[in-house]
Amino acid sequence: MSASTPGERHAIDAAHGFVAAHVKPNAQSWDRGLADSGSVLREAARAGLLGLEVPVEQGGQGLSFGCKRRVAEILAAADFGLAMSVINTHNVANHLARSAAPELTRHVLPALLSGERTGCTALTEPGAGSDFSAITTLARRAGDEWLIDGRKAWIVNATHADVVVVYAQTAPGSGARGIAAFVVDGSRSGFVRDPRSDSTAAPGIDAGGFQLQAYRARADELLHPPGEAFKAALASINGARTYVAAMCCGMVEECLRVASAYGAVRHSFGKPLHEHQGWRWSLADAAIELEAARLLVDAAASRIDSGSDAQAAAARAKVFATRMAGRHVAALMHAMGAEGLREHHPFLRHLAAAQVATLVDGSTEMLLERVARGLRRP
Ligand SMILES: Cc1cc2nc3c(=O)[nH]c(=O)nc-3n(C[C@H](O)[C@H](O)[C@H](O)COP(=O)(O)OP(=O)(O)OC[C@H]3O[C@@H](n4cnc5c(N)ncnc54)[C@H](O)[C@@H]3O)c2cc1C
């Protein structure tokens, strides 16, 4: 996909510049979450990456989803965790710009766009992941306010974010119909952040959890009322699935680049690795499937930009691209021999990220079900 407008070309150049200056030199050291997420997100803001899809009249750039998807791919090629962190903050800004009460938007949006505040979106709980309608975080009306209690887990940016979109149940037993969404302030009393955990095998991906303990949300902090929030979450999920698929393409492209460069200089049996047919075929396999994944991502992205139904297209793209990344990051690492294990190369980080990509925003099994539903005969 090539950027088509000057604004989009500028955003893509800015993403490349941001990666070269702030991500590539540091990604290796982000092996337990972004060490100083504040400063790197402010740099992302300076590059304009936190307002890509946010309407111009709200301080953003009003660019297409296809452009965001391309930026996500560029960022993830260097570091998936950083890409998720930037895109999740961007998504909260865009969500608020389009759905929050005007006064709340005026108050919060500028700080999100400048990277002074960071954002996250919290659906998952310790007891409910794939089955989103089973969440038990409870929001009760208390006069003009809402009182929220519960716990969220595995949330990108939760270790530092203070503009938190929280999905909560308002009528236990009512499933999706009772779910509402709130804008929660991570600096307010009743918001208790979990300590940062470094005990997962997802290096550099800044995911964490928090508790809400009698947290008071004002009436204007209700982002989507009961009955609307589940639909709102589903409305944005096709975009998320598509950009995660694009991120997988970015990671494989980078691994392919590194392996190909190594194959030109590393010799075995008197010639460069590239000159061994058995060696270069693993790179050819990766290149072919990368291209196929990109075509599926392009198809889903253009449906999103044209406002068509993208459910099946996004599911197809994510299932194919995440599996493609799992297979080919591992194969390309193998093609490097022992050298592939060195931490200055991206293979180990990208391998863990490819596994995370199979879970976030709909696991492979959920998406296969989505595709299968479209195959049923009437
Ligand atoms: C690094 C990271 C970042 C994340 N960031 C966020 C975030 O920002 N916000 C957020 O809300 N969540 C986030 N998540 C959570 C993610 O969305 C969940 O991991 C995902 O929804 C799967 O839920 P689970 O892990 O609880 O697995 P479970 O739901 O417990 O499922 C376990 C396994 O069983 C499979 N399975 C479940 N039900 C079925 C079924 N009916 N049929 C067949 N197979 C099934 C699943 O596919 C999975 O393989 C993140 C997760 C990770 C790892």
Side-chain angles (χ1 to χ4, degrees):
M1 175 252 175
S2 57
S4 50
T5 69
E8 292 182 351
R9 280 194 290 278
H10 178 79
I12 285 163
D13 288 347
H16 281 300
F18 167 71
V19 161
H22 303 288
V23 185
K24 284 208 162 166
N26 300 313
Q28 186 195 338
S29 67
W30 294 333
D31 62 347
R32 288 287 173 257
L34 302 179
D36 178 5
S37 35
S39 67
V40 72
L41 283 168
R42 279 192 295 279
E43 292 299 341
R46 262 179 221 123
L49 304 181
L50 300 183
L52 296 170
E53 285 183 296
V54 176
V56 174
E57 55 279 15
Q58 306 255 50
Q61 285 131 273
L63 300 174
S64 66
F65 173 81
C67 179
K68 176 171 91 170
R69 157 261 158 134
R70 185 75 191 102
V71 167
E73 186 173 336
I74 293 164
L75 300 183
D79 192 70
F80 178 86
L82 180 278
M84 289 292 275
S85 188
V86 168
I87 296 292
N88 275 272
T89 286
H90 165 279
N91 291 348
V92 172
N94 194 34
H95 195 166
L96 265 56
R98 291 166 193 277
S99 305
E103 185 52 36
L104 181 65
T105 308
R106 261 196 302 281
H107 181 61
V108 177
L109 193 55
L112 277 172
L113 291 175
S114 67
E116 277 162 61
R117 300 182 75 178
T118 58
C120 67
T121 300
L123 294 82
T124 303
E125 301 182 352
S130 306
D131 188 2
F132 169 42
S133 63
I135 59 171
T136 58
T137 293
L138 182 64
R140 287 166 291 148
R141 265 202 178 280
D144 283 349
E145 297 181 325
W146 291 83
L147 213 53
I148 313 178
D149 288 277
R151 176 175 273 237
K152 295 289 178 181
W154 293 108
I155 310 301
V156 166
N157 285 347
T159 56
H160 52 82
D162 51 8
V163 184
V164 183
V165 175
V166 170
Y167 287 80
Q169 181 55 262
T170 62
S174 69
R177 276 176 292 118
I179 294 177
F182 299 85
V183 182
V184 160
D185 184 338
S187 63
R188 210 183 284 168
S189 132
F191 182 94
V192 182
R193 212 179 290 277
D194 292 350
R196 185 186 284 264
S197 165
D198 60 1
S199 59
T200 76
I205 302 170
D206 219 354
F210 59 85
Q211 291 180 57
L212 296 168
Q213 298 174 345
Y215 179 91
R216 288 182 176 277
R218 297 188 311 262
D220 71 327
E221 291 168 332
L222 176 67
L223 187 61
H224 299 290
E228 298 296 321
F230 194 84
K231 281 188 250 160
L234 292 188
S236 61
I237 200 92
N238 296 321
R241 290 170 180 170
T242 303
Y243 68 65
V244 170
M247 289 176 178
C248 287
C249 294
M251 291 192 288
V252 172
E253 181 175 37
E254 178 62 7
C255 291
L256 195 50
R257 187 190 67 74
V258 174
S260 184
Y262 188 67
V265 295
R266 175 73 176 181
H267 285 66
S268 77
F269 301 94
K271 52 188 181 182
L273 290 172
H274 259 300
E275 290 183 22
H276 295 291
Q277 187 182 59
W279 187 87
R280 62 183 182 245
W281 279 8
S282 63
L283 274 65
D285 276 338
I288 292 165
E289 290 198 26
L290 171 59
E291 188 62 23
R294 281 223 171 91
L295 292 173
L296 289 172
V297 171
D298 284 348
S302 63
R303 291 191 76 81
I304 291 169
D305 273 329
S306 67
S308 314
D309 178 4
Q311 290 183 63
R316 284 193 293 266
K318 184 166 180 276
V319 169
F320 188 86
T322 53
R323 285 177 166 171
M324 184 276 302
R327 235 181 357 261
H328 289 299
V329 173
L332 292 165
M333 183 165 94
H334 180 76
M336 301 278 295
E339 177 69 19
L341 293 162
R342 292 193 193 282
E343 286 192 336
H344 66 272
H345 294 309
F347 299 95
L348 285 169
R349 274 183 300 119
H350 284 3
L351 199 53
Q355 172 55 23
V356 169
T358 67
L359 294 172
V360 293
D361 301 304
S363 71
T364 301
E365 288 72 20
M366 298 300 104
L367 301 184
L368 287 170
E369 278 299 299
R370 175 63 257 166
V371 174
R373 275 205 295 282
L375 303 177
R376 279 189 199 147
R377 290 180 194 282

PDB file of all heavy atoms in Angstrom, residues 3 5 10 12 100 140 148 160 249 273 316 319 330 353:
ATOM      1  N   ALA A   3       1.102   5.482   0.366  1.00  0.00           N
ATOM      2  CA  ALA A   3       0.319   6.604   0.868  1.00  0.00           C
ATOM      3  C   ALA A   3      -0.098   7.465  -0.304  1.00  0.00           C
ATOM      4  O   ALA A   3       0.655   7.660  -1.247  1.00  0.00           O
ATOM      5  CB  ALA A   3       1.174   7.413   1.827  1.00  0.00           C
ATOM      6  N   THR A   5      -1.995  10.751  -0.113  1.00  0.00           N
ATOM      7  CA  THR A   5      -2.106  12.202   0.009  1.00  0.00           C
ATOM      8  C   THR A   5      -0.814  12.766   0.611  1.00  0.00           C
ATOM      9  O   THR A   5      -0.070  12.031   1.279  1.00  0.00           O
ATOM     10  CB  THR A   5      -3.281  12.592   0.924  1.00  0.00           C
ATOM     11  OG1 THR A   5      -2.939  12.195   2.261  1.00  0.00           O
ATOM     12  CG2 THR A   5      -4.579  11.908   0.515  1.00  0.00           C
ATOM     13  N   HIS A  10       3.513  12.527   4.565  1.00  0.00           N
ATOM     14  CA  HIS A  10       4.228  13.199   5.655  1.00  0.00           C
ATOM     15  C   HIS A  10       4.201  12.336   6.923  1.00  0.00           C
ATOM     16  O   HIS A  10       5.217  12.172   7.605  1.00  0.00           O
ATOM     17  CB  HIS A  10       3.577  14.567   5.927  1.00  0.00           C
ATOM     18  CG  HIS A  10       4.216  15.291   7.066  1.00  0.00           C
ATOM     19  ND1 HIS A  10       5.410  15.965   6.938  1.00  0.00           N
ATOM     20  CD2 HIS A  10       3.854  15.409   8.368  1.00  0.00           C
ATOM     21  CE1 HIS A  10       5.749  16.476   8.114  1.00  0.00           C
ATOM     22  NE2 HIS A  10       4.821  16.146   8.998  1.00  0.00           N
ATOM     23  N   ILE A  12       3.907   9.121   7.176  1.00  0.00           N
ATOM     24  CA  ILE A  12       4.733   7.918   7.015  1.00  0.00           C
ATOM     25  C   ILE A  12       6.217   8.275   7.126  1.00  0.00           C
ATOM     26  O   ILE A  12       6.990   7.580   7.788  1.00  0.00           O
ATOM     27  CB  ILE A  12       4.359   7.209   5.700  1.00  0.00           C
ATOM     28  CG1 ILE A  12       3.008   6.519   5.939  1.00  0.00           C
ATOM     29  CG2 ILE A  12       5.416   6.220   5.249  1.00  0.00           C
ATOM     30  CD1 ILE A  12       2.264   6.119   4.733  1.00  0.00           C
ATOM     31  N   ALA A 100     -16.791  11.267  23.328  1.00  0.00           N
ATOM     32  CA  ALA A 100     -16.895  11.777  24.707  1.00  0.00           C
ATOM     33  C   ALA A 100     -17.667  13.090  24.739  1.00  0.00           C
ATOM     34  O   ALA A 100     -17.816  13.776  23.722  1.00  0.00           O
ATOM     35  CB  ALA A 100     -15.498  11.972  25.299  1.00  0.00           C
ATOM     36  N   ARG A 140     -22.237   0.951  39.337  1.00  0.00           N
ATOM     37  CA  ARG A 140     -23.585   1.207  39.899  1.00  0.00           C
ATOM     38  C   ARG A 140     -23.819   2.705  39.931  1.00  0.00           C
ATOM     39  O   ARG A 140     -22.912   3.477  40.241  1.00  0.00           O
ATOM     40  CB  ARG A 140     -23.666   0.670  41.333  1.00  0.00           C
ATOM     41  CG  ARG A 140     -23.735  -0.839  41.414  1.00  0.00           C
ATOM     42  CD  ARG A 140     -23.458  -1.304  42.822  1.00  0.00           C
ATOM     43  NE  ARG A 140     -22.064  -1.075  43.190  1.00  0.00           N
ATOM     44  CZ  ARG A 140     -21.639  -0.799  44.419  1.00  0.00           C
ATOM     45  NH1 ARG A 140     -22.483  -0.687  45.418  1.00  0.00           N
ATOM     46  NH2 ARG A 140     -20.348  -0.600  44.670  1.00  0.00           N
ATOM     47  N   ILE A 148     -17.643   2.480  40.611  1.00  0.00           N
ATOM     48  CA  ILE A 148     -17.137   1.327  39.848  1.00  0.00           C
ATOM     49  C   ILE A 148     -16.166   0.512  40.703  1.00  0.00           C
ATOM     50  O   ILE A 148     -15.258   1.065  41.337  1.00  0.00           O
ATOM     51  CB  ILE A 148     -16.422   1.781  38.556  1.00  0.00           C
ATOM     52  CG1 ILE A 148     -17.264   2.830  37.802  1.00  0.00           C
ATOM     53  CG2 ILE A 148     -16.152   0.589  37.642  1.00  0.00           C
ATOM     54  CD1 ILE A 148     -16.619   3.372  36.544  1.00  0.00           C
ATOM     55  N   HIS A 160       1.228   2.873  33.095  1.00  0.00           N
ATOM     56  CA  HIS A 160       1.429   4.317  33.231  1.00  0.00           C
ATOM     57  C   HIS A 160       0.228   5.154  32.791  1.00  0.00           C
ATOM     58  O   HIS A 160       0.136   6.327  33.126  1.00  0.00           O
ATOM     59  CB  HIS A 160       2.667   4.762  32.436  1.00  0.00           C
ATOM     60  CG  HIS A 160       2.648   4.299  31.004  1.00  0.00           C
ATOM     61  ND1 HIS A 160       1.958   4.956  30.030  1.00  0.00           N
ATOM     62  CD2 HIS A 160       3.215   3.214  30.409  1.00  0.00           C
ATOM     63  CE1 HIS A 160       2.111   4.290  28.876  1.00  0.00           C
ATOM     64  NE2 HIS A 160       2.862   3.240  29.080  1.00  0.00           N
ATOM     65  N   CYS A 249       3.137  -8.058   9.585  1.00  0.00           N
ATOM     66  CA  CYS A 249       3.852  -7.900   8.301  1.00  0.00           C
ATOM     67  C   CYS A 249       5.133  -7.095   8.518  1.00  0.00           C
ATOM     68  O   CYS A 249       6.198  -7.442   7.972  1.00  0.00           O
ATOM     69  CB  CYS A 249       2.960  -7.191   7.277  1.00  0.00           C
ATOM     70  SG  CYS A 249       1.528  -8.156   6.789  1.00  0.00           S
ATOM     71  N   LEU A 273      25.851 -17.693   2.420  1.00  0.00           N
ATOM     72  CA  LEU A 273      24.635 -18.492   2.668  1.00  0.00           C
ATOM     73  C   LEU A 273      23.639 -18.348   1.518  1.00  0.00           C
ATOM     74  O   LEU A 273      22.978 -19.306   1.137  1.00  0.00           O
ATOM     75  CB  LEU A 273      23.975 -18.043   3.977  1.00  0.00           C
ATOM     76  CG  LEU A 273      24.728 -18.401   5.267  1.00  0.00           C
ATOM     77  CD1 LEU A 273      24.063 -17.737   6.472  1.00  0.00           C
ATOM     78  CD2 LEU A 273      24.803 -19.914   5.452  1.00  0.00           C
ATOM     79  N   ARG A 316      -9.850 -12.582   8.548  1.00  0.00           N
ATOM     80  CA  ARG A 316      -8.975 -13.353   7.636  1.00  0.00           C
ATOM     81  C   ARG A 316      -7.547 -12.804   7.695  1.00  0.00           C
ATOM     82  O   ARG A 316      -6.577 -13.553   7.777  1.00  0.00           O
ATOM     83  CB  ARG A 316      -9.478 -13.254   6.192  1.00  0.00           C
ATOM     84  CG  ARG A 316     -10.699 -14.111   5.886  1.00  0.00           C
ATOM     85  CD  ARG A 316     -10.943 -14.201   4.390  1.00  0.00           C
ATOM     86  NE  ARG A 316     -11.345 -12.938   3.778  1.00  0.00           N
ATOM     87  CZ  ARG A 316     -12.619 -12.564   3.572  1.00  0.00           C
ATOM     88  NH1 ARG A 316     -13.601 -13.360   3.919  1.00  0.00           N
ATOM     89  NH2 ARG A 316     -12.900 -11.405   3.023  1.00  0.00           N
ATOM     90  N   VAL A 319      -5.842 -13.677  11.204  1.00  0.00           N
ATOM     91  CA  VAL A 319      -5.484 -15.099  11.352  1.00  0.00           C
ATOM     92  C   VAL A 319      -4.272 -15.419  10.472  1.00  0.00           C
ATOM     93  O   VAL A 319      -3.289 -16.019  10.934  1.00  0.00           O
ATOM     94  CB  VAL A 319      -6.677 -16.017  10.984  1.00  0.00           C
ATOM     95  CG1 VAL A 319      -6.224 -17.476  10.885  1.00  0.00           C
ATOM     96  CG2 VAL A 319      -7.793 -15.876  12.014  1.00  0.00           C
ATOM     97  N   ALA A 330      10.316 -17.300  13.294  1.00  0.00           N
ATOM     98  CA  ALA A 330      11.103 -18.441  13.801  1.00  0.00           C
ATOM     99  C   ALA A 330      12.023 -18.990  12.709  1.00  0.00           C
ATOM    100  O   ALA A 330      13.208 -19.257  12.953  1.00  0.00           O
ATOM    101  CB  ALA A 330      10.165 -19.530  14.311  1.00  0.00           C
ATOM    102  N   ALA A 353       6.324 -11.277  20.297  1.00  0.00           N
ATOM    103  CA  ALA A 353       5.260 -10.367  19.848  1.00  0.00           C
ATOM    104  C   ALA A 353       4.282 -11.078  18.909  1.00  0.00           C
ATOM    105  O   ALA A 353       3.077 -10.841  18.963  1.00  0.00           O
ATOM    106  CB  ALA A 353       5.884  -9.162  19.156  1.00  0.00           C
TER     107      ALA A 353
END
